[in-house]
Amino acid sequence: MTLSPAERFAAAQSRQRQPRVEGFAARQRFDLDPFQRAACIALDEGRSVLVAAPTGAGKTIVAEFAVYIAMQEPRAKVFYTTPMKALSNQKFQEFQAEYGPSEVGVLTGDTNINASARIVVMTTEVLRNMLYANSPLLTDLAFVVMDEVHYLADRFRGAVWEEVIIHLPESVRMVSLSATVSNAEEFGDWMQAVRGDTDVIVSEERPVPLEQHVLVRQKMLDLFDSSGTAATHRVNPDLVQLAKAGGRSIQGRSSRGRRGADRGRWHAEANRVGRLDRPDVVEMLNGKNLLPAIFFIFSRVGCDQAVRQVLRSGIRLTDSAEREEIRAIVEEHCRTLLDEDLAVLGYWEWLEGLERGVAAHHAGMLPAFKEVVEELFQKKLVKAVFATETLALGINMPARTVVLEKLEKFNGEARVPITPGEYTQLTGRAGRRGIDVEGHSVIQWVDGLDPQAVASLASRRTYPMNSSFRPTYNMAVNLIEQFGRERTREILESSFAQFQADRSVVDLARTVRKQQESLAGFERSMQCHLGDFREYSSIRRELGDLEKKASKAGLSHGNRERIQRQIADLKKRMKAHPCHGCSDREAHARWAERWWRLRRESDDLARQIRTRTGAVAKIFDRVTDVLLELDYVRVSDAGEATLTDAGVSLRRIYGERDLLVAECLRRGYWNDLDVAGLAAMATALVFEPRREENPIDDRYLPRGAFRRALELTTDAWSELDDVEREHRLPGTEPISTGLSLAMHSWARGLPLGSVLEEADLAAGDFVRWSKQTIDLLDQISLVAPPELAATARAAIDAVRRGVVAYATVA
């Protein structure tokens, strides 16, 4: 593209104004896209940014610029938060390669590497906990990157993102990276309200164009009409005609339009023959040079079956040199796995698939296996991956082609259509920048497929981001300890949930918080060494008001005399006050007058907030009332809320069952548990069974102290559930012991094979629940009495062994 002289002059001026942006841009493999440059300039000029762009568009370049800026300063630090440990691992390794191991750390709850480094990658929960604990690691923090910030809408974990955004010091600039949500501007307005200067930068341009197809037999038809005169999003007429004919025999029937009888015979044949088997689809894509490909199958079993189908067909997508490299990478990653576990984990079948260029990727797999698949796919050694939708979230695994077998999935209760946002996330993997001219999405034809509905999915801007924020017991005690009950209510008015319910409340609440800071400054300025100047200024204000009142006409003789007596009394009190003799009295008085005037404005705004819908604050009040009833919080005679010893312990306990854990610790219900029993109990508190699973028969649970502790814990849950419902709170699900026996066996040292058989779980699921068990045990070890704390630490060691202990980073 040729620039005009004026454009060249403007570009030269920009380079002079933004030398850091230009220096960073010069280091990149590609020219910065307009949205990337705009975001980098905003950061360089001292503002925060919210960047919403499609998957694969290069949002992380903006985060990397924040790191680049910080590393130009002598002490500035960057925290890079992610929603998943796998994504944390990936960023940790990338930053280590760029800045060296000494400058980069990682914190993911169960992993702590170089935590005091200048670049620290962490899960969002870790940062939230650091903020509540006033961690010294927050010193010199300049930037926080929130990758995949649209996770804020997640109903289980989303509140953590809002807590971080609200509580980070205002001096910290935020780099928020989001998928293309439809209400980015609204979210940006909230960020502006609670964080100050924030630029919202939205891009809907993919750096690699996406060609969308429907696979009917061996024909890949364009989803949209590709004729030169067609509208951009007009559905391919062939697909419309095929849909009309679907579900009934149309053999011998001719369809009118282009190609006449030929079209009718082709549609009839398509319906008769049906869809291709998976091995045939892989071979077809290979023949069209459309590999590597990700096949999204919304079922773990389906992913594993797909790999077996492809292997049975005899397909081999690799040459001998590639197979040798694959074996070397696998051996490097898996060398610490025990030989006795390899057969249990299906290692040999998995390795055979990898050597032939085929793999599955889902949450049921061992984390080590998933890491290998990710690395091999990035190195173009694995050519076809059958994955659940979790692969679409954050991990850097772009493909040339994405195949969707179905456009619906099971959500735990029923089969539901995927949303436009999910469709965009999945197909966003197609097209590798710098490698592919275009990406391809392929939807397999099924009877009943509606091409118009598919086109709507493919052309709509993606999902809205709605807050899932809800005050928890842990959140409540942490905020009360730091800010007091009333200030906490004001802070909660600043949540995105409240912003969406009533946008004006956020602005009012932010103004009140600013005014509270100004009031504190005015109060310091009017301090008098002789006495309480606020008390003195209150007398002066009351005297002034009465003198104005006395000067008004129309007062009765009796009222005038009464006011005069009050004036005389106030003058006497004023002259007797110690501050009356201060040489700086009038200077103090001027600050006092500002204080009273601002206090009146602040009180007016606070009244406005109280009279408006405060749904979040109301839930906080109910949570606080439960804490008051159970003596985790007390209110003094002066009306100040303070934490009891139990409340202080609750500050360190996070998770869905925070109050139940604190209550059982307070009552000593777990004091008699041994190492395996405590591990089994912790698992019962974190484990969430699938809906279709039947509860385990109590006869098969560990005997002895565990049974008694479980009975007491269940009674405590029931009592808390009653209290919560009395206070109009939803309560929690009953405790699930479905994994307790298996965890008890694992903590006693039984081999992996027998434990997985007992648990009836995939290895990846067992590792995930084991790590959540370890996380809870770690919290218990920090707040429990010494003997139980020692048992918790021993339980951590007992659970963290074998496949649970294995991890490349986290």
Side-chain angles (χ1 to χ4, degrees):
M1 182 178 67
T2 304
L3 298 179
S4 69
E7 288 171 330
R8 288 199 299 273
F9 178 73
Q13 281 199 318
S14 175
R15 284 193 293 272
Q16 290 177 355
R17 287 195 305 269
Q18 311 290 343
R20 289 194 296 191
V21 174
E22 296 308 320
F24 175 75
R27 296 162 53 122
Q28 306 309 308
R29 290 169 50 214
F30 307 103
D31 290 340
L32 294 184
D33 290 336
F35 85 90
Q36 294 170 331
R37 182 172 289 277
C40 290
I41 289 172
L43 288 174
D44 196 42
E45 292 177 349
R47 298 187 296 280
S48 295
V49 294
L50 165 65
V51 180
T55 301
K59 295 184 291 291
T60 54
I61 285 287
V62 182
E64 289 165 13
F65 179 66
V67 175
Y68 175 80
I69 292 177
M71 297 306 283
Q72 310 258 318
E73 305 289 333
R75 291 191 305 275
K77 294 167 68 173
V78 182
F79 287 173
Y80 194 112
T81 74
T82 74
M84 298 174 295
K85 291 180 181 179
L87 190 52
S88 296
N89 290 349
Q90 194 171 72
K91 299 312 297 183
F92 173 69
Q93 290 158 3
E94 288 174 8
F95 286 132
Q96 273 198 331
E98 177 76 15
Y99 293 101
S102 65
E103 299 287 5
V104 186
V106 64
L107 290 170
T108 59
D110 59 351
T111 301
N112 181 332
I113 299 174
N114 202 14
S116 59
R118 292 182 59 195
I119 307 166
V120 185
V121 183
M122 62 185 67
T123 51
T124 318
E125 283 84 355
V126 169
L127 177 54
R128 185 272 312 273
N129 299 350
M130 289 170 67
L131 288 167
Y132 281 155
N134 284 321
S135 169
L137 295 176
L138 296 166
T139 304
D140 295 323
L141 182 60
F143 293 96
V144 164
V145 177
M146 301 198 81
D147 205 350
E148 308 283 341
V149 75
H150 50 272
Y151 255 83
L152 181 142
D154 184 87
R155 68 190 184 97
F156 297 109
R157 300 173 59 202
V160 177
W161 273 254
E162 290 193 48
E163 290 177 80
V164 168
I165 292 168
I166 291 170
H167 297 307
L168 269 176
E170 283 198 20
S171 60
V172 177
R173 277 177 280 169
M174 294 199 64
V175 182
S176 303
L177 309 178
S178 170
T180 313
V181 292
S182 52
N183 61 334
E185 291 81 4
E186 179 189 37
F187 184 61
D189 288 346
W190 174 67
M191 294 278 287
Q192 177 78 30
V194 297
R195 302 292 314 162
D197 284 345
T198 302
D199 283 13
V200 179
I201 296 160
V202 177
S203 173
E204 296 189 57
E205 294 295 319
R206 286 176 49 97
V208 180
L210 180 66
E211 295 292 325
Q212 308 198 60
H213 316 278
V214 177
L215 179 62
V216 185
R217 264 193 334 127
Q218 289 184 315
K219 287 187 178 287
M220 274 179 38
L221 300 180
D222 290 341
L223 174 60
F224 297 109
D225 192 342
S226 57
S227 63
T229 58
T232 306
H233 292 300
R234 178 188 169 199
V235 179
N236 187 338
D238 282 342
L239 291 174
V240 175
Q241 186 62 31
L242 183 58
K244 287 178 181 177
R248 61 181 187 274
S249 176
I250 57 171
Q251 292 181 22
R253 173 180 175 272
S254 176
S255 174
R256 293 185 181 181
R258 292 178 297 142
R259 295 186 299 279
D262 289 341
R263 174 186 279 184
R265 282 195 297 273
W266 182 78
H267 286 319
E269 189 181 358
N271 276 337
R272 185 171 65 250
V273 174
R275 56 194 284 158
L276 289 177
D277 289 334
R278 286 161 177 156
D280 295 330
V281 177
V282 172
E283 290 217 273
M284 185 205 69
L285 293 177
N286 192 31
K288 292 179 179 291
N289 196 28
L290 291 178
L291 296 181
I294 299 172
F295 292 71
F296 282 111
I297 301 172
F298 302 115
S299 154
R300 299 177 183 182
V301 173
C303 292
D304 294 334
Q305 286 176 342
V307 172
R308 285 194 288 271
Q309 288 169 11
V310 174
L311 294 183
R312 280 198 301 268
S313 74
I315 287 177
R316 188 179 296 280
L317 302 171
T318 56
D319 59 31
S320 58
E322 289 173 324
R323 290 193 289 278
E324 189 174 327
E325 188 177 353
I326 287 168
R327 280 193 295 272
I329 291 171
V330 171
E331 288 171 6
E332 172 64 24
H333 277 266
C334 299
R335 67 184 188 282
T336 60
L337 295 177
L338 301 176
D339 290 345
E340 65 199 58
D341 292 341
L342 295 181
V344 175
L345 296 168
Y347 174 84
W348 303 110
E349 184 181 17
W350 172 70
L351 178 59
E352 182 191 358
L354 294 178
E355 289 184 348
R356 286 163 62 175
V358 181
H361 189 288
H362 56 72
M365 293 172 61
L366 192 69
F369 286 12
K370 286 197 295 182
E371 291 167 16
V372 169
V373 171
E374 290 159 13
E375 181 175 338
L376 293 178
F377 193 81
Q378 289 167 13
K379 291 183 174 180
K380 307 177 209 169
L381 295 170
V382 163
K383 315 296 174 72
V385 170
F386 296 90
T388 54
E389 70 270 29
T390 53
L391 182 59
L393 300 173
I395 304 291
N396 181 24
M397 277 183 67
R400 177 163 294 171
T401 305
V402 162
V403 179
L404 300 181
E405 292 194 351
K406 294 179 180 177
L407 294 177
E408 62 177 21
K409 66 175 186 175
F410 186 70
N411 67 356
E413 297 177 350
R415 298 207 71 83
V416 297
I418 64 173
T419 66
E422 289 167 334
Y423 182 90
T424 303
Q425 283 279 85
L426 297 169
T427 57
R429 291 281 161 210
R432 300 160 300 172
R433 189 170 189 172
I435 301 172
D436 300 322
V437 176
E438 59 196 16
H440 297 267
S441 70
V442 178
I443 297 155
Q444 287 197 264
W445 178 268
V446 293
D447 287 340
L449 186 74
D450 180 359
Q452 297 286 0
V454 178
S456 176
L457 271 180
S459 57
R460 278 176 56 196
R461 198 175 169 193
T462 55
Y463 55 88
M465 181 161 51
N466 294 315
S467 172
S468 60
F469 187 79
R470 181 180 63 84
T472 64
Y473 298 109
N474 170 271
M475 185 193 304
V477 292
N478 272 292
L479 293 178
I480 288 171
E481 175 73 5
Q482 287 193 20
F483 305 110
R485 187 174 182 177
E486 286 308 310
R487 175 80 188 280
T488 294
R489 291 182 92 261
E490 295 169 7
I491 288 170
L492 294 177
E493 295 285 5
S494 297
S495 69
F496 188 44
Q498 187 60 53
F499 185 84
Q500 291 188 305
D502 182 356
R503 293 185 62 164
S504 64
V505 168
V506 162
D507 292 329
L508 291 174
R510 185 165 188 255
T511 301
V512 168
R513 285 208 311 278
K514 287 288 189 185
Q515 289 179 341
Q516 294 292 339
E517 294 170 7
S518 298
L519 284 169
F522 292 168
E523 193 161 8
R524 286 192 296 271
S525 297
M526 71 180 180
Q527 281 179 356
C528 178
H529 66 288
L530 297 177
D532 185 347
F533 202 89
R534 182 160 50 157
E535 181 183 70
Y536 176 72
S537 65
S538 177
I539 297 171
R540 281 178 55 142
R541 286 179 64 81
E542 190 177 352
L543 179 60
D545 290 343
L546 282 173
E547 287 176 339
K548 288 178 185 175
K549 195 173 183 180
S551 64
K552 290 181 179 177
L555 283 175
S556 67
H557 179 71
N559 279 338
R560 193 177 297 279
E561 281 196 343
R562 181 175 55 79
I563 291 172
Q564 289 298 335
R565 284 196 300 272
Q566 289 175 324
I567 289 173
D569 181 58
L570 284 171
K571 284 183 176 179
K572 186 176 179 181
R573 284 173 56 198
M574 182 181 71
K575 290 178 181 178
H577 196 282
C579 293
H580 190 68
C582 178
S583 58
D584 293 327
R585 181 184 69 198
E586 293 311 309
H588 293 331
R590 285 191 291 275
W591 283 111
E593 186 57 33
R594 295 179 192 174
W595 187 90
W596 284 107
R597 191 162 52 243
L598 188 59
R599 170 71 180 273
R600 186 165 54 241
E601 291 177 17
S602 187
D603 288 347
D604 286 343
L605 290 178
R607 275 192 294 275
Q608 289 182 49
I609 290 172
R610 284 195 297 271
T611 58
R612 301 186 186 202
T613 303
V616 176
K618 287 175 183 174
I619 295 173
F620 167 73
D621 286 339
R622 294 169 193 166
V623 166
T624 306
D625 288 343
V626 170
L627 294 171
L628 286 165
E629 181 173 330
L630 297 175
D631 200 35
Y632 285 82
V633 174
R634 290 178 187 163
V635 176
S636 67
D637 294 338
E640 293 293 324
T642 57
L643 303 187
T644 63
D645 289 344
V648 172
S649 294
L650 180 55
R651 289 190 66 193
R652 303 291 293 276
I653 301 168
Y654 305 93
E656 287 291 307
R657 300 193 188 276
D658 48 6
L659 187 57
L660 177 59
V661 173
E663 194 67 5
C664 290
L665 289 173
R666 180 163 71 164
R667 299 181 188 184
Y669 285 171
W670 304 336
N671 289 354
D672 296 332
L673 289 172
D674 61 11
V675 167
L678 186 57
M681 181 61 67
T683 298
L685 293 165
V686 300
F687 181 61
E688 296 172 11
R690 294 174 179 267
R691 291 181 180 273
E692 65 271 17
E693 288 179 6
N694 294 319
I696 191 169
D697 191 320
D698 287 352
R699 291 175 298 173
Y700 298 107
L701 290 173
R703 298 181 179 277
F706 177 83
R707 295 267 185 104
R708 176 61 181 157
L710 178 63
E711 185 180 323
L712 292 170
T713 302
T714 304
D715 289 344
W717 168 81
S718 181
E719 292 170 25
L720 290 179
D721 194 61
D722 289 342
V723 172
E724 287 175 319
R725 294 186 191 282
E726 285 169 13
H727 289 279
R728 292 177 294 158
L729 289 169
T732 56
E733 291 293 315
I735 297 165
S736 176
T737 55
L739 190 56
S740 292
L741 182 59
M743 189 59 68
H744 191 270
S745 300
W746 180 252
R748 285 170 39 229
L750 266 66
L752 179 66
S754 60
V755 170
L756 291 182
E757 185 177 354
E758 204 168 69
D760 192 25
L761 275 182
D765 291 323
F766 179 71
V767 169
R768 186 173 72 257
W769 291 120
S770 296
K771 291 197 171 186
Q772 291 194 32
T773 298
I774 288 169
D775 188 45
L776 178 54
L777 289 168
D778 184 53
Q779 294 172 39
I780 292 170
S781 74
L782 297 174
V783 297
E787 192 171 338
L788 182 59
T791 304
R793 288 191 290 272
I796 291 171
D797 292 337
V799 175
R800 190 188 280 144
R801 68 178 180 87
V803 294
V804 178
Y806 174 89
T808 53
V809 176

